[in-house]
Amino acid sequence: MSANAQSSADLASLDYRLTARAVAEGVYVVTGANADFAPANGCNIINTGFIVSDAGVLVINSGPSRRYGQQLRALIARTTQQPVVQLLHLNHHPDYFLGNQAFADVPRLATPLTRAGMARDAKSYEDNLYRLCGEWMKGTEAVLPSADAAPGVLRIGQREFELIELQGHTASDLVLIDRTSGVAFAGGLVFAQRVPTTPHASIAPWLASLSQLQAMPSSRVQRWVPSHGDIDFTGAIAQTQAYLQWLQGWLGDAARRGLEINEVLRLPVPAEQRALAAFATEYVRNVVHLYPRYEQAVLQGR
Amino acid sequence: MHQRALAAALYLLATLGRHPADTSPGLCGLGAAQALRANASAAKALVMHPPLPPHSKARRHWLSLALAAGAAPSWSAAHFEGDPLESSAWPGLKREHFGRAKVVFDDRVKVLGPGFAEDPMNVPISVLVQGIAAVQQMVVLVDRNPIRKVLEYTPNAALPNIGFRFKLEQTSPVRAAVRTADGVWHVGGTRVESSGGGCTASGETRRDGSWSQTLGQASAKVFPMSSGPGETGSRLRLKVMHPMDTGLVAGVPAFYVKALSLRDGTGAELARLSIFEPVSENPVFSFDFATPPRGPLSIVGNDNNGNRIRLQLP
């Protein structure tokens, strides 16, 4: 199991107790619990980050709530004297942008597809996270991105970044590579010691995207930071590939046998997959999201 | 306003006071009615802690204390007319659907569902009845849906099992009742938690308008399926393309598949389904047989607008 399965969040004071961990010169990761959304972790299950340049700070994702955004901004201010100059969203899922109220004064960038997804789903994300984490969410209202992020090179001061737009986990999955340090923020494409989430997933393009990440030489990327899971686990790309390949085979096989969703949910799952964090809840979602596609292919003789 | 939509809105407003958190639309309740939205937002500010779920440990603990102390049959059992799922809607539901017929709770009627409706528009349910002879009819009811009856199934030559998906409005018991030759209804059930919104939102093909291109198209396949060791049964899975509009979304009248009949090679009816608004968009059904029926099988049916559904299997 991962080192950070337990949350450090304090329910009494609604303090996420965020800490900035330097993974390279000027590159910080703020880890969340390797678990499912729950009041005990304040719905903080995301690894956000920030990178300090001589011309200000680039923030990567803003967390699940207004409170998280505020505490992240305070943490950045405690860590560096540089001001926050830009916020980047790697995909449209709720914990990538519901902390935006604390960053209303800076440019907030996301790809056009991610912006469209946020505009479409923000309201239901708010409702759902209020339902799951109640008081932690108090005062949270979605503030959408303010500008388009474009794939290619992004410069802030002396620091140069590369943005790569892939897909599969969602319709638009952004990967940020810090060229100075070789640290890459893999966003939702990579899960470390945790079951991947699939509400907007398409497995074939996701696997193709992972192959692209896997093929990147270590001269380009020295360290991958996944949005969810244990950031010290080094086999996360291969593990995510293995899980998705397993899921694809598992669901396809069940559909060819004519199983109902409830029967698939009750099949004994191999220990390797069961050992991943959030298995109990996330596997159910995987099946509910994806099984109908396999079922349809079998019924229509494809 | 459509009469039914009005009824649903009143129903939703009535339930809001009890469980504000339960009625907030979830990830899939995208098109939920404005009234519900406004109330859910207002409810947000009030929710400091989620309400105690009905089967919480605290409640169980209280019950077990009462029983250990030698108390008379618990207040709950009496209040819910013996309902193991302790639903306050059960007494009314029972009277409405079974009148004066004898109704018993029976563990042999198994209703399998997910504990939580990840997608309230598509909640999978499998009903399995084992060890009850000569089931004549089955009815599936959902206590807290604005439209409570999901389907009626007459298994004839099929096993008294059915698989389907339905739209769930909020956390609710889901029940299957089967009637035996003596007129007794045997009831089983499960509880499905939900963030809500399944019945008051349009399906995907209604939202993007694509439903009209595939309306009534059906596909099916027979799978070998044993219901026990040494048995060689079969399962027919059937999918029908249909928007299955509940009539609870403003401006969209109820439009749903009403009846499906499954026939064998001689034209004899193997099983019959009466379907109601809560069944999911583009419904998928599973029918089980102890021994594979004689083909070629055919399926005929119609929706509430008179559109016909026909499928001939090879």
Side-chain angles (χ1 to χ4, degrees), chain B residues 137-189:
Chain B
Q137 206 192 12
M138 177 193 294
V139 56
V140 175
L141 302 169
V142 179
D143 293 32
R144 297 197 172 276
N145 254 11
I147 301 168
R148 291 160 152 192
K149 197 193 283 187
V150 180
L151 57 82
E152 283 171 6
Y153 184 42
T154 311
N156 293 342
L159 290 168
N161 301 342
I162 189 83
F164 62 95
R165 300 202 270 269
F166 81 103
K167 297 174 282 234
L168 177 63
E169 186 60 34
Q170 59 176 313
T171 296
S172 176
V174 178
R175 304 177 194 274
V178 298
R179 195 186 66 222
T180 40
D182 54 5
V184 175
W185 288 95
H186 301 255
V187 181

Side-chain angles (χ1 to χ4, degrees), chain A residues 123-128 130-131 135 255-263 266 285 289 295-296 299, chain B residues 25-27 30 37 41 44 48 112-113 116 118 124-126 165 195 223 225 235 237 239 286:
Chain A
K123 186 74 187 124
S124 43
Y125 287 160
E126 285 175 23
D127 289 342
N128 210 29
Y130 269 95
R131 183 180 61 76
E135 221 171 337
R256 283 186 293 277
R257 287 163 55 201
L259 298 188
E260 273 285 321
I261 287 184
N262 281 298
E263 293 162 339
R266 287 161 179 81
R285 294 181 191 139
H289 297 144
E295 191 180 69
Q296 171 146 345
L299 290 182
Chain B
L27 289 171
L30 294 179
R37 282 242 174 271
S41 303
K44 257 184 215 171
M48 299 302 278
L112 305 183
F116 181 79
E118 174 59 25
I125 294 292
S126 294
R165 300 202 270 269
S195 59
F223 302 86
M225 186 78 57
R235 168 177 291 176
R237 302 201 77 204
K239 177 165 186 165
S286 289

Side-chain angles (χ1 to χ4, degrees), chain A residues 215-226:
Chain A
M216 285 187 192
S218 57
S219 57
R220 200 163 158 208
V221 176
Q222 281 161 27
R223 179 180 188 129
W224 291 100
V225 177

Side-chain angles (χ1 to χ4, degrees), chain B residues 7-8 10 94 97 112 120 126 129 133 140 166 201 210-211 222 267 269 289-290:
Chain B
L10 290 173
K94 181 178 153 187
H97 290 277
L112 305 183
S126 294
V129 181
V140 175
F166 81 103
S210 65
W211 64 271
V222 178
E269 187 171 68
F289 296 90

Side-chain angles (χ1 to χ4, degrees), chain B:
Chain B
M1 202 179 196
H2 195 287
Q3 207 177 354
R4 212 152 211 183
L6 181 64
L10 290 173
Y11 172 85
L12 289 170
L13 287 172
T15 57
L16 274 168
R18 284 205 298 275
H19 298 290
D22 283 355
T23 53
S24 67
L27 289 171
C28 304
L30 294 179
Q34 292 300 322
L36 177 61
R37 282 242 174 271
N39 280 285
S41 303
K44 257 184 215 171
L46 302 172
V47 181
M48 299 302 278
H49 296 285
L52 209 59
H55 285 270
S56 69
K57 276 182 188 150
R59 185 183 187 129
R60 282 257 174 260
H61 185 59
W62 178 84
L63 274 178
S64 60
L65 278 182
L67 291 172
S74 75
W75 174 84
S76 321
H79 187 74
F80 302 115
E81 295 189 10
D83 177 18
L85 295 170
E86 298 181 359
S87 161
S88 57
W90 168 248
L93 188 73
K94 181 178 153 187
R95 269 187 291 281
E96 182 184 338
H97 290 277
F98 308 114
R100 293 179 176 193
K102 188 176 176 195
V103 178
V104 294
F105 291 101
D106 193 326
D107 289 342
R108 294 173 296 175
V109 180
K110 293 192 190 338
V111 180
L112 305 183
F116 181 79
E118 174 59 25
D119 178 358
M121 307 281 288
N122 289 285
V123 179
I125 294 292
S126 294
V127 182
L128 303 168
V129 181
Q130 281 162 339
I132 301 181
V135 168
Q136 295 185 326
Q137 206 192 12
M138 177 193 294
V139 56
V140 175
L141 302 169
V142 179
D143 293 32
R144 297 197 172 276
N145 254 11
I147 301 168
R148 291 160 152 192
K149 197 193 283 187
V150 180
L151 57 82
E152 283 171 6
Y153 184 42
T154 311
N156 293 342
L159 290 168
N161 301 342
I162 189 83
F164 62 95
R165 300 202 270 269
F166 81 103
K167 297 174 282 234
L168 177 63
E169 186 60 34
Q170 59 176 313
T171 296
S172 176
V174 178
R175 304 177 194 274
V178 298
R179 195 186 66 222
T180 40
D182 54 5
V184 175
W185 288 95
H186 301 255
V187 181
T190 187
R191 178 184 298 276
V192 182
E193 305 277 330
S194 174
S195 59
C199 285
T200 45
S202 288
E204 254 171 63
T205 63
R206 168 63 67 191
R207 287 202 298 270
D208 68 14
S210 65
W211 64 271
S212 62
Q213 282 136 46
T214 53
L215 183 72
Q217 287 177 11
S219 49
K221 192 172 159 69
V222 178
F223 302 86
M225 186 78 57
S226 66
S227 53
E231 291 181 47
T232 50
S234 69
R235 168 177 291 176
L236 175 84
R237 302 201 77 204
L238 166 68
K239 177 165 186 165
V240 181
M241 301 303 286
H242 204 283
M244 297 298 290
D245 298 309
T246 57
L248 302 178
V249 179
V252 185
F255 182 38
Y256 58 97
V257 177
K258 230 178 127 180
L260 288 172
S261 170
L262 176 59
R263 294 172 187 176
D264 72 8
T266 68
E269 187 171 68
L270 295 167
R272 186 171 73 244
L273 259 184
S274 293
I275 297 161
F276 299 91
E277 296 92 323
V279 168
S280 294
E281 177 188 26
N282 303 330
V284 180
F285 300 100
S286 289
F287 306 90
D288 291 348
F289 296 90
T291 53
R294 242 182 79 196
L297 303 179
S298 62
I299 291 135
V300 296
N302 59 276
D303 68 20
N304 68 331
N305 278 16
N307 297 302
R308 292 191 177 282
I309 295 150
R310 282 180 194 283
L311 179 68
Q312 182 77 45
L313 271 78

Side-chain angles (χ1 to χ4, degrees), chain A residues 81-104:
Chain A
Q81 293 184 338
Q82 288 288 343
V84 172
V85 292
Q86 207 172 103
L87 168 62
L88 184 69
H89 303 293
L90 300 183
N91 71 43
H92 84 277
H93 283 160
D95 45 353
Y96 289 63
F97 74 102
L98 284 182
N100 278 14
Q101 280 158 297
F103 299 92

Side-chain angles (χ1 to χ4, degrees), chain A residues 12-269:
Chain A
S13 58
L14 297 180
D15 185 345
Y16 287 101
R17 295 196 175 143
L18 302 179
T19 54
R21 186 170 146 201
V23 295
E25 176 70 40
V27 183
Y28 298 89
V29 179
V30 184
T31 58
N34 188 8
D36 195 12
F37 290 123
N41 56 41
C43 280
N44 172 21
I45 59 166
I46 188 169
N47 302 320
T48 60
F50 57 95
I51 301 175
V52 181
S53 83
D54 57 318
V57 178
L58 170 68
V59 181
I60 301 129
N61 300 322
S62 67
S65 66
R66 181 183 74 153
R67 200 172 284 275
Y68 182 102
Q70 289 167 340
Q71 293 177 14
L72 175 62
R73 187 114 191 215
L75 172 70
I76 295 168
R78 290 198 300 276
T79 310
T80 172
Q81 293 184 338
Q82 288 288 343
V84 172
V85 292
Q86 207 172 103
L87 168 62
L88 184 69
H89 303 293
L90 300 183
N91 71 43
H92 84 277
H93 283 160
D95 45 353
Y96 289 63
F97 74 102
L98 284 182
N100 278 14
Q101 280 158 297
F103 299 92
D105 59 329
V106 298
R108 303 173 301 280
L109 274 66
T111 65
L113 280 172
T114 292
R115 293 181 74 181
M118 287 175 177
R120 184 189 66 222
D121 294 342
K123 186 74 187 124
S124 43
Y125 287 160
E126 285 175 23
D127 289 342
N128 210 29
L129 287 196
Y130 269 95
R131 183 180 61 76
L132 290 166
C133 285
E135 221 171 337
W136 287 98
M137 299 301 299
K138 212 168 159 188
T140 302
E141 276 176 43
V143 172
L144 297 176
S146 58
D148 284 348
V153 175
L154 171 73
R155 281 188 192 83
I156 299 177
Q158 298 295 312
R159 221 152 179 144
E160 199 175 271
F161 305 97
E162 186 183 347
L163 292 177
I164 306 170
E165 187 181 10
L166 299 170
Q167 55 171 316
H169 172 61
T170 67
S172 170
D173 298 299
L174 209 50
V175 173
L176 173 86
I177 302 173
D178 171 38
R179 285 187 170 164
T180 313
S181 66
V183 173
F185 285 81
L189 289 171
V190 179
F191 285 75
Q193 307 283 42
R194 187 196 194 280
V195 175
T197 62
T198 52
H200 303 95
S202 216
I203 293 187
W206 191 343
L207 285 169
S209 295
L210 287 169
S211 297
Q212 255 181 276
L213 300 187
Q214 191 75 293
M216 285 187 192
S218 57
S219 57
R220 200 163 158 208
V221 176
Q222 281 161 27
R223 179 180 188 129
W224 291 100
V225 177
S227 279
H228 301 282
D230 181 355
I231 66 162
D232 292 316
F233 179 67
T234 51
I237 294 177
Q239 188 183 51
T240 307
Q241 282 173 323
Y243 184 87
L244 294 176
Q245 277 158 352
W246 168 79
L247 189 63
Q248 205 172 30
W250 183 254
L251 298 180
D253 178 60
R256 283 186 293 277
R257 287 163 55 201
L259 298 188
E260 273 285 321
I261 287 184
N262 281 298
E263 293 162 339
V264 181
L265 292 176
R266 287 161 179 81
L267 290 174
V269 171

